mmCIF file of all heavy atoms in Angstrom:
data_model
loop_
_atom_site.group_PDB
_atom_site.id
_atom_site.type_symbol
_atom_site.label_atom_id
_atom_site.label_comp_id
_atom_site.label_asym_id
_atom_site.label_seq_id
_atom_site.Cartn_x
_atom_site.Cartn_y
_atom_site.Cartn_z
ATOM 1 N N ALA E 21 105.601 98.539 114.441
ATOM 2 C CA ALA E 21 104.191 98.081 114.463
ATOM 3 C C ALA E 21 103.398 98.722 115.623
ATOM 4 O O ALA E 21 102.282 99.126 115.442
ATOM 5 C CB ALA E 21 104.137 96.553 114.455
ATOM 6 N N LEU E 22 104.077 98.731 116.755
ATOM 7 C CA LEU E 22 103.512 99.245 117.961
ATOM 8 C C LEU E 22 103.133 100.681 117.789
ATOM 9 O O LEU E 22 102.052 101.145 118.134
ATOM 10 C CB LEU E 22 104.474 99.073 119.121
ATOM 11 C CG LEU E 22 104.115 99.458 120.490
ATOM 12 C CD1 LEU E 22 103.408 98.322 121.178
ATOM 13 C CD2 LEU E 22 105.340 99.862 121.330
ATOM 14 N N ILE E 23 104.042 101.453 117.257
ATOM 15 C CA ILE E 23 103.830 102.955 117.095
ATOM 16 C C ILE E 23 102.648 103.179 116.088
ATOM 17 O O ILE E 23 101.765 103.965 116.386
ATOM 18 C CB ILE E 23 105.122 103.663 116.664
ATOM 19 C CG1 ILE E 23 106.150 103.628 117.781
ATOM 20 C CG2 ILE E 23 104.829 105.058 116.207
ATOM 21 C CD1 ILE E 23 107.523 104.025 117.373
ATOM 22 N N TRP E 24 102.705 102.513 114.934
ATOM 23 C CA TRP E 24 101.666 102.758 113.929
ATOM 24 C C TRP E 24 100.284 102.291 114.405
ATOM 25 O O TRP E 24 99.349 103.080 114.444
ATOM 26 C CB TRP E 24 102.088 102.084 112.609
ATOM 27 C CG TRP E 24 101.238 102.462 111.399
ATOM 28 C CD1 TRP E 24 100.211 103.384 111.401
ATOM 29 C CD2 TRP E 24 101.348 101.930 110.088
ATOM 30 N NE1 TRP E 24 99.687 103.485 110.086
ATOM 31 C CE2 TRP E 24 100.344 102.611 109.283
ATOM 32 C CE3 TRP E 24 102.204 100.997 109.471
ATOM 33 C CZ2 TRP E 24 100.202 102.361 107.927
ATOM 34 C CZ3 TRP E 24 102.001 100.768 108.130
ATOM 35 C CH2 TRP E 24 101.062 101.436 107.356
ATOM 36 N N VAL E 25 100.186 101.035 114.788
ATOM 37 C CA VAL E 25 98.879 100.462 115.086
ATOM 38 C C VAL E 25 98.410 101.051 116.463
ATOM 39 O O VAL E 25 97.244 101.386 116.642
ATOM 40 C CB VAL E 25 98.926 98.896 115.086
ATOM 41 C CG1 VAL E 25 97.572 98.363 115.420
ATOM 42 C CG2 VAL E 25 99.401 98.398 113.755
ATOM 43 N N GLY E 26 99.315 101.161 117.424
ATOM 44 C CA GLY E 26 98.950 101.637 118.746
ATOM 45 C C GLY E 26 98.508 103.127 118.600
ATOM 46 O O GLY E 26 97.565 103.550 119.285
ATOM 47 N N GLY E 27 99.206 103.904 117.765
ATOM 48 C CA GLY E 27 98.804 105.337 117.530
ATOM 49 C C GLY E 27 97.404 105.416 116.929
ATOM 50 O O GLY E 27 96.623 106.265 117.395
ATOM 51 N N MET E 28 97.062 104.497 116.001
ATOM 52 C CA MET E 28 95.700 104.567 115.408
ATOM 53 C C MET E 28 94.699 104.162 116.427
ATOM 54 O O MET E 28 93.569 104.700 116.502
ATOM 55 C CB MET E 28 95.688 103.617 114.192
ATOM 56 C CG MET E 28 96.368 104.132 112.971
ATOM 57 S SD MET E 28 95.956 103.263 111.487
ATOM 58 C CE MET E 28 96.668 101.676 111.793
ATOM 59 N N PHE E 29 95.039 103.189 117.271
ATOM 60 C CA PHE E 29 94.135 102.716 118.311
ATOM 61 C C PHE E 29 93.808 103.876 119.295
ATOM 62 O O PHE E 29 92.656 104.104 119.599
ATOM 63 C CB PHE E 29 94.747 101.538 119.100
ATOM 64 C CG PHE E 29 93.750 100.953 120.103
ATOM 65 C CD1 PHE E 29 92.909 99.915 119.738
ATOM 66 C CD2 PHE E 29 93.761 101.384 121.419
ATOM 67 C CE1 PHE E 29 92.016 99.374 120.693
ATOM 68 C CE2 PHE E 29 92.843 100.918 122.354
ATOM 69 C CZ PHE E 29 91.976 99.861 121.993
ATOM 70 N N PHE E 30 94.878 104.582 119.704
ATOM 71 C CA PHE E 30 94.639 105.695 120.641
ATOM 72 C C PHE E 30 93.794 106.757 119.984
ATOM 73 O O PHE E 30 92.834 107.274 120.595
ATOM 74 C CB PHE E 30 95.986 106.274 121.109
ATOM 75 C CG PHE E 30 95.805 107.483 122.001
ATOM 76 C CD1 PHE E 30 95.412 107.343 123.282
ATOM 77 C CD2 PHE E 30 95.979 108.745 121.440
ATOM 78 C CE1 PHE E 30 95.206 108.494 124.050
ATOM 79 C CE2 PHE E 30 95.779 109.890 122.214
ATOM 80 C CZ PHE E 30 95.378 109.743 123.512
ATOM 81 N N ALA E 31 94.129 107.127 118.696
ATOM 82 C CA ALA E 31 93.410 108.199 118.013
ATOM 83 C C ALA E 31 91.920 107.847 117.873
ATOM 84 O O ALA E 31 91.074 108.664 118.152
ATOM 85 C CB ALA E 31 93.998 108.434 116.669
ATOM 86 N N TRP E 32 91.694 106.584 117.463
ATOM 87 C CA TRP E 32 90.314 106.195 117.121
ATOM 88 C C TRP E 32 89.461 105.912 118.394
ATOM 89 O O TRP E 32 88.312 106.389 118.493
ATOM 90 C CB TRP E 32 90.268 104.960 116.218
ATOM 91 C CG TRP E 32 89.255 105.060 115.125
ATOM 92 C CD1 TRP E 32 89.514 105.570 113.873
ATOM 93 C CD2 TRP E 32 87.935 104.664 115.155
ATOM 94 N NE1 TRP E 32 88.380 105.519 113.144
ATOM 95 C CE2 TRP E 32 87.351 104.963 113.872
ATOM 96 C CE3 TRP E 32 87.082 104.069 116.064
ATOM 97 C CZ2 TRP E 32 86.067 104.696 113.525
ATOM 98 C CZ3 TRP E 32 85.791 103.821 115.774
ATOM 99 C CH2 TRP E 32 85.253 104.133 114.469
ATOM 100 N N MET E 33 90.010 105.161 119.337
ATOM 101 C CA MET E 33 89.237 104.706 120.445
ATOM 102 C C MET E 33 89.181 105.680 121.594
ATOM 103 O O MET E 33 88.273 105.646 122.386
ATOM 104 C CB MET E 33 89.801 103.380 120.978
ATOM 105 C CG MET E 33 89.843 102.299 119.902
ATOM 106 S SD MET E 33 88.281 101.795 119.258
ATOM 107 C CE MET E 33 87.563 100.916 120.651
ATOM 108 N N ILE E 34 90.234 106.568 121.752
ATOM 109 C CA ILE E 34 90.272 107.413 122.948
ATOM 110 C C ILE E 34 90.101 108.888 122.587
ATOM 111 O O ILE E 34 89.224 109.563 123.108
ATOM 112 C CB ILE E 34 91.661 107.231 123.683
ATOM 113 C CG1 ILE E 34 92.041 105.761 123.811
ATOM 114 C CG2 ILE E 34 91.662 107.960 125.016
ATOM 115 C CD1 ILE E 34 91.203 104.916 124.738
ATOM 116 N N LEU E 35 91.030 109.361 121.649
ATOM 117 C CA LEU E 35 91.017 110.791 121.390
ATOM 118 C C LEU E 35 89.706 111.254 120.607
ATOM 119 O O LEU E 35 89.209 112.307 120.924
ATOM 120 C CB LEU E 35 92.296 111.150 120.559
ATOM 121 C CG LEU E 35 92.616 112.603 120.393
ATOM 122 C CD1 LEU E 35 92.707 113.330 121.713
ATOM 123 C CD2 LEU E 35 93.931 112.765 119.625
ATOM 124 N N ARG E 36 89.297 110.430 119.688
ATOM 125 C CA ARG E 36 88.108 110.779 118.890
ATOM 126 C C ARG E 36 86.871 111.050 119.770
ATOM 127 O O ARG E 36 86.314 112.150 119.730
ATOM 128 C CB ARG E 36 87.862 109.705 117.823
ATOM 129 C CG ARG E 36 86.811 110.051 116.809
ATOM 130 C CD ARG E 36 86.623 108.845 115.861
ATOM 131 N NE ARG E 36 86.236 107.665 116.606
ATOM 132 C CZ ARG E 36 85.051 107.322 116.957
ATOM 133 N NH1 ARG E 36 84.018 108.098 116.615
ATOM 134 N NH2 ARG E 36 84.798 106.203 117.600
ATOM 135 N N PRO E 37 86.475 110.062 120.604
ATOM 136 C CA PRO E 37 85.289 110.361 121.443
ATOM 137 C C PRO E 37 85.538 111.463 122.453
ATOM 138 O O PRO E 37 84.579 112.196 122.787
ATOM 139 C CB PRO E 37 85.005 108.987 122.122
ATOM 140 C CG PRO E 37 86.202 108.138 121.911
ATOM 141 C CD PRO E 37 86.872 108.664 120.720
ATOM 142 N N ALA E 38 86.753 111.562 122.928
ATOM 143 C CA ALA E 38 87.097 112.639 123.904
ATOM 144 C C ALA E 38 86.951 114.011 123.256
ATOM 145 O O ALA E 38 86.354 114.928 123.794
ATOM 146 C CB ALA E 38 88.509 112.480 124.494
ATOM 147 N N ALA E 39 87.384 114.139 122.005
ATOM 148 C CA ALA E 39 87.350 115.382 121.301
ATOM 149 C C ALA E 39 85.851 115.769 120.998
ATOM 150 O O ALA E 39 85.484 116.938 121.079
ATOM 151 C CB ALA E 39 88.158 115.375 120.030
ATOM 152 N N VAL E 40 85.080 114.754 120.623
ATOM 153 C CA VAL E 40 83.660 114.993 120.386
ATOM 154 C C VAL E 40 82.959 115.497 121.650
ATOM 155 O O VAL E 40 82.181 116.454 121.515
ATOM 156 C CB VAL E 40 82.919 113.663 119.888
ATOM 157 C CG1 VAL E 40 81.446 113.865 119.858
ATOM 158 C CG2 VAL E 40 83.468 113.295 118.443
ATOM 159 N N SER E 41 83.258 114.946 122.779
ATOM 160 C CA SER E 41 82.548 115.422 123.930
ATOM 161 C C SER E 41 83.100 116.722 124.538
ATOM 162 O O SER E 41 82.386 117.439 125.267
ATOM 163 C CB SER E 41 82.532 114.314 125.069
ATOM 164 O OG SER E 41 83.746 114.161 125.609
ATOM 165 N N ALA E 42 84.363 117.069 124.246
ATOM 166 C CA ALA E 42 84.961 118.258 124.942
ATOM 167 C C ALA E 42 85.024 119.492 124.019
ATOM 168 O O ALA E 42 85.166 120.589 124.590
ATOM 169 C CB ALA E 42 86.388 117.890 125.464
ATOM 170 N N LEU E 43 85.009 119.343 122.704
ATOM 171 C CA LEU E 43 85.323 120.460 121.826
ATOM 172 C C LEU E 43 84.190 120.757 120.789
ATOM 173 O O LEU E 43 83.540 119.789 120.308
ATOM 174 C CB LEU E 43 86.644 120.222 121.042
ATOM 175 C CG LEU E 43 87.859 120.137 121.894
ATOM 176 C CD1 LEU E 43 89.082 119.809 120.993
ATOM 177 C CD2 LEU E 43 88.188 121.444 122.651
#
Side-chain angles (χ1 to χ4, degrees):
L22 182 86
I23 290 169
W24 190 2
V25 181
M28 287 195 292
F29 185 89
F30 175 77
W32 223 90
M33 303 297 288
I34 315 291
L35 191 55
R36 188 183 57 86
V40 168
S41 72
L43 297 174

